[in-house]
Amino acid sequence: MPVRLYSAVQEHKLRFHFVHEKDNSPIGYQKICKKEDKPVPDDEIVKAFEYTKGEYVFMEDEDFEAAKVEGYKTIDIVDFVPYEDIDPIFFAHTYYVGPDRGAEKVYSLLVKAMENSELTGIAKFVMRDKQHLGALRIRDGVITLEQLYFADEIRPIDELKASRTRVAQEELQMAERLIESFTTEWKPEKYKDTYRDELCAIIKAKRKGKDVHAAPDVEEERPTDLMTALRESIERSRGGGARARRNGDLGDLSKQELDRRAKAAGIEGRSKMTKAELVRALRSAA
């Protein structure tokens, strides 16, 4: 079945450039031969594998084509498994798989058959000179290809596990209550990239000629023991306690409301502050 792959994710990355501050000219990069210390033209650059230290094997396009394995120019389904059996640690990247011209009928057939089976197809495919494992599943009537890591690419966790220590029953109950207080339905649209938003606000402010200064970090007093920390966390999650009412919800307020509070608190320079700076200033003044 001829298909095309489309990236299912469009990351909202802010792309920064290196420029010459003096004249705004972009900083260029050249491919320099480290031995001759001079630029190398593209037609003299080849792919090479370092077999041993300093010993290279040159590779050409035909060499990669010669390594025809499962999924070289196809997405080869090798198994069907329940989707819930796949540990999320294996997921790397998601693609949409759309039908190519003339493949609409067989594409629809596969979609319907997989929907009825409620199973996920495990496949192999080659992309950018590397073979990948993949999971094919149906999402809103469209086939998606979840690029997976191979099992030997997942690092063992034995050396990272914490040593077994005794946990008091009261501490465990408090920790469970804390988790329960944060339990809600999964709504992905609820979570926003606030760091990107603040960077955009700073970029706009600087474009208008405003000075931007970071408020000094205020080191919060740490609880003396674990039980105290758990109690304070539960109080904050429920909105209890004066400190939680004053500071815990500032990040959820609008910039206009933060401006109003900053004015009431007598914070200087508030008109030039970003939302994040207002939050930090109000927390410092509390």
Side-chain angles (χ1 to χ4, degrees):
M1 179 177 64
V3 297
R4 292 185 179 183
L5 290 186
Y6 307 86
S7 179
V9 178
Q10 183 177 0
E11 295 184 82
H12 296 156
K13 289 184 177 180
L14 295 178
R15 301 191 180 277
F16 295 90
H17 304 272
F18 286 108
V19 298
H20 190 188
E21 185 178 13
K22 183 176 169 182
D23 54 17
N24 288 347
S25 296
I27 301 299
Y29 294 89
Q30 293 180 310
K31 297 172 183 177
I32 304 294
C33 174
K34 293 183 178 180
K35 184 177 181 180
E36 299 176 344
D37 195 25
K38 65 179 183 180
V40 179
D42 288 341
D43 60 1
E44 292 184 12
I45 298 176
V46 297
K47 286 185 178 180
F49 178 80
E50 191 172 15
Y51 196 81
T52 59
K53 185 67 175 177
E55 180 186 346
Y56 292 93
V57 177
F58 294 159
M59 300 290 289
E60 299 179 2
D61 292 342
E62 307 87 74
D63 299 321
F64 292 99
E65 293 177 6
K68 293 183 178 179
V69 294
E70 291 172 304
Y72 176 62
K73 286 191 176 180
T74 57
I75 302 172
D76 288 347
I77 300 175
V78 293
D79 288 307
F80 282 95
V81 303
Y83 184 74
E84 58 271 18
D85 287 356
I86 305 174
D87 189 327
I89 197 173
F90 286 94
F91 295 125
H93 192 82
T94 305
Y95 297 92
Y96 289 134
V97 181
D100 211 343
R101 187 177 302 174
E104 290 81 7
K105 184 175 181 178
V106 66
Y107 182 92
S108 299
L109 176 63
L110 179 58
V111 168
K112 189 64 177 176
M114 289 183 64
E115 283 181 332
N116 291 344
S117 72
E118 298 182 347
L119 294 174
T120 294
I122 301 301
K124 287 184 177 181
F125 64 102
V126 175
M127 181 183 291
R128 301 185 184 95
D129 302 333
K130 185 181 187 301
Q131 187 180 58
H132 299 279
L133 199 61
L136 291 166
R137 65 186 182 94
I138 310 302
R139 183 177 186 274
D140 296 331
V142 175
I143 300 175
T144 62
L145 173 63
E146 307 272 8
Q147 180 184 317
L148 305 176
Y149 295 109
F150 285 101
D152 59 3
E153 293 181 296
I154 305 299
R155 296 180 61 186
I157 60 174
D158 296 340
E159 60 188 42
L160 303 177
K161 287 183 179 178
S163 57
R164 289 283 183 178
T165 55
R166 184 180 175 277
V167 176
Q169 186 64 26
E170 187 180 5
E171 293 174 341
L172 179 58
Q173 290 173 349
M174 291 283 286
E176 290 173 346
R177 284 173 57 192
L178 179 59
I179 292 174
E180 183 181 354
S181 67
F182 280 95
T183 302
T184 183
E185 293 182 1
W186 164 242
K187 296 180 179 178
E189 65 277 3
K190 169 184 174 182
Y191 309 99
K192 308 296 182 183
D193 185 352
T194 55
Y195 179 70
R196 179 182 181 275
D197 292 342
E198 289 305 318
L199 275 181
C200 286
I202 290 171
I203 290 170
K204 289 178 182 178
K206 297 197 73 172
R207 187 169 178 262
K208 294 178 180 178
K210 296 180 180 180
D211 292 328
V212 179
H213 302 286
D217 290 331
V218 178
E219 187 173 348
E220 296 185 5
E221 185 177 344
R222 295 185 179 182
T224 55
D225 57 72
L226 180 57
M227 288 299 295
T228 302
L230 287 169
R231 287 193 186 95
E232 290 185 359
S233 294
I234 291 174
E235 287 177 1
R236 286 196 295 271
S237 71
R238 293 175 177 173
R243 182 170 179 272
R245 286 195 297 271
R246 288 199 309 267
N247 298 335
D249 58 348
L250 289 176
D252 297 329
L253 299 178
S254 66
K255 191 171 187 296
Q256 184 178 5
E257 175 61 20
L258 291 170
D259 280 328
R260 187 186 66 76
R261 294 194 182 195
K263 182 178 180 180
I267 296 174
E268 297 181 358
R270 57 186 176 274
S271 63
K272 295 182 179 180
M273 291 184 181
T274 64
K275 182 179 176 180
E277 290 172 337
L278 284 168
V279 170
R280 287 196 291 268
L282 284 167
R283 285 174 177 166
S284 300

